[in-house]
């Protein structure tokens, strides 16, 4: 059987228009606000025997609406239910979960009685169910009360000093009714409580993941502006894509440092060098290709990650030559450990005028990378754009000498290191670079 909306949509246009014209204002409002008609897949609560439903998604995904709709339905289904509403603060719980544009008061059905007692922090539903507002900052308030259902909003924002106690007290009180359940709606952050929650796993935990762009009802202009401004950045991946991004232990380039050192190269460039980390063989492995420039302000700027994978020697050499031409590089610096004369010959074949300097890796990758990371720390080297794949590799370097990033080898990051050493850490580079 098709639902009423599908049946209406399949009618001939004239008949469909006549039916809509016959609807009263109340019926039209109910039709337009009908949750089942407009919700996207990530907002429907799951089937199965779950105890916790975690909606871990980016801003604008519709997490709040999903939480409010679920609570409202539970209040209708279980008359007399006792429901906990826990926000990072009391103000957050009231302003977002109850009174907000996607909160409980806004999603009530036509004719449904809702009695919001703001002073007491209590919402009474027509079924007799009661929702009580709590703050994660006051975990002791959750010690003792029993609940059938709970909605915990922005869990990753809960105060670090109180979050665990608030969660533990809540869960110990989830012992009322036949099947106590908790919905958690949050944009993720790498905090202890989020890790605890994810460690539960199925069947007790059902997780819904989502991105800002998944909400088809958001203005397209807003989504495009957010993607253009933040796509690929740590902030964008966390706040728009709903990813929980952790730094590896002892990261040489913490993600916060990479984000701090991001700005446009708004000054003329004095010199540009292209660093190359050639593939280990001729079977189409990845080739790191990174362009770095020295600005007239004596600051270094990472200009492009032109790395390629799956190409023959002729293919990746052509990509190197193209990058060098595009940025008018004064030279290409390439590691000669892998292939030596072969590296130079394929690069020359791609562009006979290409100035090439071959360097030998006599020290480990991390040792070479440390002075480059120090330039970032000192504010002398910047990312003049967003380079997600390169930055994933940078974030995988560990001070202790390990690598926990993607892939077997950090080809892109190695290319960056070679370029920076040539441009900023060689004899000419040390004279030119300015630390601010």
């Amino acid at each position: 059987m098709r639902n009423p909306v599908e049946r209406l949509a399949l009618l001939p246009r004239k008949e469909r228009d006549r039916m809509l014209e016959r609807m009263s204002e109340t019926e039209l409002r109910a039709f337009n606000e009908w949750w089942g008609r407009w919700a996207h897949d990530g907002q429907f609560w799951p089937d199965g025997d779950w105890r916790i439903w975690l909606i871990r998604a980016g801003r604008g995904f519709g997490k709040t609406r999903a939480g409010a709709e679920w609570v409202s339905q539970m209040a209708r289904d279980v008359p007399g239910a006792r429901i906990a509403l826990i926000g990072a603060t009391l103000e957050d719980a009231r302003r977002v979960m109850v009174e907000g544009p996607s909160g409980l008061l806004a999603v009530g059905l036509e004719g449904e009685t809702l009695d919001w007692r703001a002073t007491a922090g209590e919402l009474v539903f027509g079924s007799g169910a009661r929702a009580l507002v709590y703050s994660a900052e006051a975990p002791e308030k959750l010690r003792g009360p029993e609940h059938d259902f709970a909605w915990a909003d922005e869990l990753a924002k809960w105060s670090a000093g109180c979050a665990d106690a608030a969660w533990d007290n809540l869960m110990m009180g989830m012992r009322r009714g036949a099947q106590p359940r908790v919905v958690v709606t949050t944009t993720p952050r790498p905090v202890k409580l989020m890790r605890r929650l994810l460690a539960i796993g199925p069947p007790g935990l059902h997780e819904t993941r989502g991105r800002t762009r998944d909400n088809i009802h958001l203005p397209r202009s807003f989504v495009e502006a957010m993607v253009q401004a933040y796509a690929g950045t740590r902030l964008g991946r966390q706040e728009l894509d709903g990813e929980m991004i952790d730094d590896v232990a002892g990261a040489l380039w913490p993600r916060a440092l990479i984000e701090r050192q991001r700005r446009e190269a708004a000054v003329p460039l004095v010199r540009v060098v292209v660093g190359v980390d050639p593939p280990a063989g001729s079977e189409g492995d990845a080739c790191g290709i990174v362009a770095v420039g020295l600005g007239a302000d004596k600051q270094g700027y990472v200009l492009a990650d032109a790395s390629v994978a799956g190409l023959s020697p002729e293919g990746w050499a052509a990509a190197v030559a193209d990058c060098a031409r595009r940025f008018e590089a004064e030279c290409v610096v390439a590691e000669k450990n892998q292939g030596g004369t072969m590296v130079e010959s394929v690069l020359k074949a791609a562009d006979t005028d290409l100035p090439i300097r071959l360097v030998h890796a006599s020290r480990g990758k991390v040792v070479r990378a440390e002075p480059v990371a120090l330039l970032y720390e000192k504010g002398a080297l910047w990312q003049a754009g967003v380079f997600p794949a390169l930055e994933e590799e940078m974030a995988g370097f560990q001070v202790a000498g390990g690598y926990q990033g993607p892939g077997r080898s950090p080809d892109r990051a190695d290319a960056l290191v070679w370029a920076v050493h040539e441009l900023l850490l060689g004899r000419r580079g040390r004279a030119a670079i300015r630390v601010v």
Side-chain angles (χ1 to χ4, degrees):
M1 293 293 292
R2 298 181 183 277
N3 69 42
V5 175
E6 289 177 309
R7 292 202 300 270
L8 182 64
L10 290 172
L11 290 174
R13 181 174 179 178
K14 289 184 178 180
E15 188 173 346
R16 185 171 65 243
D17 290 344
R18 282 198 300 270
M19 288 192 67
L20 290 172
E21 289 171 0
R22 292 172 189 160
M23 288 185 182
S24 65
E25 289 187 10
T26 299
E27 290 171 332
L28 281 171
R29 181 182 172 218
F31 180 78
N32 288 329
E33 296 181 359
W34 182 16
W35 171 246
R37 178 189 182 201
W38 299 111
H40 60 75
D41 289 344
Q43 293 175 302
F44 290 112
W45 46 91
D47 297 326
D49 189 25
W50 53 271
R51 182 172 173 79
I52 302 168
W53 176 29
L54 169 62
I55 307 177
R56 176 162 63 115
R59 296 190 191 183
F61 174 78
K63 301 184 296 294
T64 302
R65 180 67 185 271
E69 291 284 356
W70 178 79
V71 168
S72 295
Q73 191 60 51
M74 295 305 102
R76 297 181 198 110
D77 291 347
V78 185
R82 189 181 179 96
I83 304 167
L85 307 175
I86 312 96
T89 67
L90 276 179
E91 176 64 18
D92 286 344
R94 289 170 176 162
R95 179 175 51 83
V96 177
M97 303 172 77
V98 180
E99 300 172 350
S102 296
L104 289 163
L105 296 179
V107 304
L109 298 179
E110 179 72 19
E112 189 172 39
T113 301
L114 295 172
D115 182 12
W116 170 226
R117 304 167 185 174
T119 303
E122 181 181 38
L123 178 63
V124 181
F125 295 84
S127 67
R130 297 167 62 213
L132 301 170
V133 172
Y134 297 93
S135 167
E137 293 182 325
E140 290 303 309
K141 297 287 186 181
L142 285 160
R143 181 187 291 275
E146 298 180 8
H147 302 98
D148 298 83
F149 308 107
W151 172 19
D153 189 46
E154 291 299 350
L155 186 90
K157 283 178 54 181
W158 290 10
S159 173
C162 305
D164 283 313
W167 179 258
D168 290 337
N169 286 342
L170 169 67
M171 296 308 292
M172 289 178 185
M174 297 303 300
R175 56 182 186 268
R176 195 172 188 270
Q179 192 176 33
R181 283 178 159 176
V182 180
V183 167
V184 178
T185 52
T186 190
T187 300
R189 294 178 183 177
V191 296
K192 178 184 174 184
L193 185 52
M194 282 294 301
R195 295 190 188 97
R196 279 186 60 192
L197 199 59
L198 290 170
I200 295 171
L205 175 75
H206 180 94
E207 184 182 14
T208 295
R209 297 281 303 278
R211 305 168 300 173
T212 299
R213 69 189 75 177
D214 293 335
N215 190 342
I216 60 175
H217 305 302
L218 289 176
R220 184 175 178 180
S221 58
F222 167 79
V223 175
E224 289 176 348
M226 292 299 99
V227 170
Q228 182 178 4
Y230 301 108
T233 68
R234 177 176 182 164
L235 182 64
R237 291 174 60 197
Q238 175 177 284
E239 301 295 324
L240 301 182
D241 295 338
E243 294 185 36
M244 192 168 77
I245 305 172
D246 271 317
D247 280 322
V248 301
L252 192 60
W253 276 285
R255 294 181 186 275
L257 172 63
I258 296 173
E259 290 300 327
R260 189 195 77 184
Q261 292 302 111
R262 195 186 305 281
R263 77 178 185 193
E264 293 183 11
V267 296
L269 297 174
V270 177
R271 300 172 58 212
V272 175
V273 168
V274 174
V276 179
D277 185 56
S282 59
E283 301 302 320
D285 291 337
C287 177
I289 306 170
V290 175
V292 182
L294 175 66
D297 58 356
K298 297 186 178 181
Q299 297 279 288
Y301 295 92
V302 180
L303 304 172
D305 173 15
S307 304
V308 293
L311 299 183
S312 65
E314 294 75 16
W316 61 254
V320 172
D322 178 70
C323 183
R325 283 193 294 268
R326 184 153 48 104
F327 291 99
E328 300 179 350
E330 71 170 40
C331 80
V332 170
V333 56
E335 182 182 340
K336 67 179 180 181
N337 292 49
Q338 305 288 352
T341 56
M342 183 275 286
V343 171
E344 184 173 15
S345 63
V346 295
L347 289 173
K348 284 293 186 184
D351 187 342
T352 55
D353 295 326
L354 197 64
I356 300 168
R357 183 180 172 211
L358 297 180
V359 291
H360 179 74
S362 58
R363 298 179 296 169
K365 295 178 185 293
V366 174
V367 176
R368 295 196 306 271
E370 284 175 349
V372 178
L374 187 60
L375 290 177
Y376 281 87
E377 288 281 0
K378 291 180 175 180
L381 184 55
W382 303 84
Q383 306 288 87
V386 179
F387 314 112
L390 168 62
E391 290 164 14
E392 281 293 313
E393 292 187 359
M394 292 169 65
F397 273 82
Q398 294 174 291
V399 175
Y403 174 66
Q404 297 294 324
R408 293 176 300 173
S409 177
D411 308 293
R412 300 165 190 267
D414 278 349
L416 164 70
V417 168
W418 287 126
V420 172
H421 270 275
E422 173 67 21
L423 185 68
L424 306 176
L425 293 170
R427 186 163 52 189
R428 289 181 64 189
R430 282 197 295 270
I433 194 73
R434 179 167 67 91
V435 176
V436 294

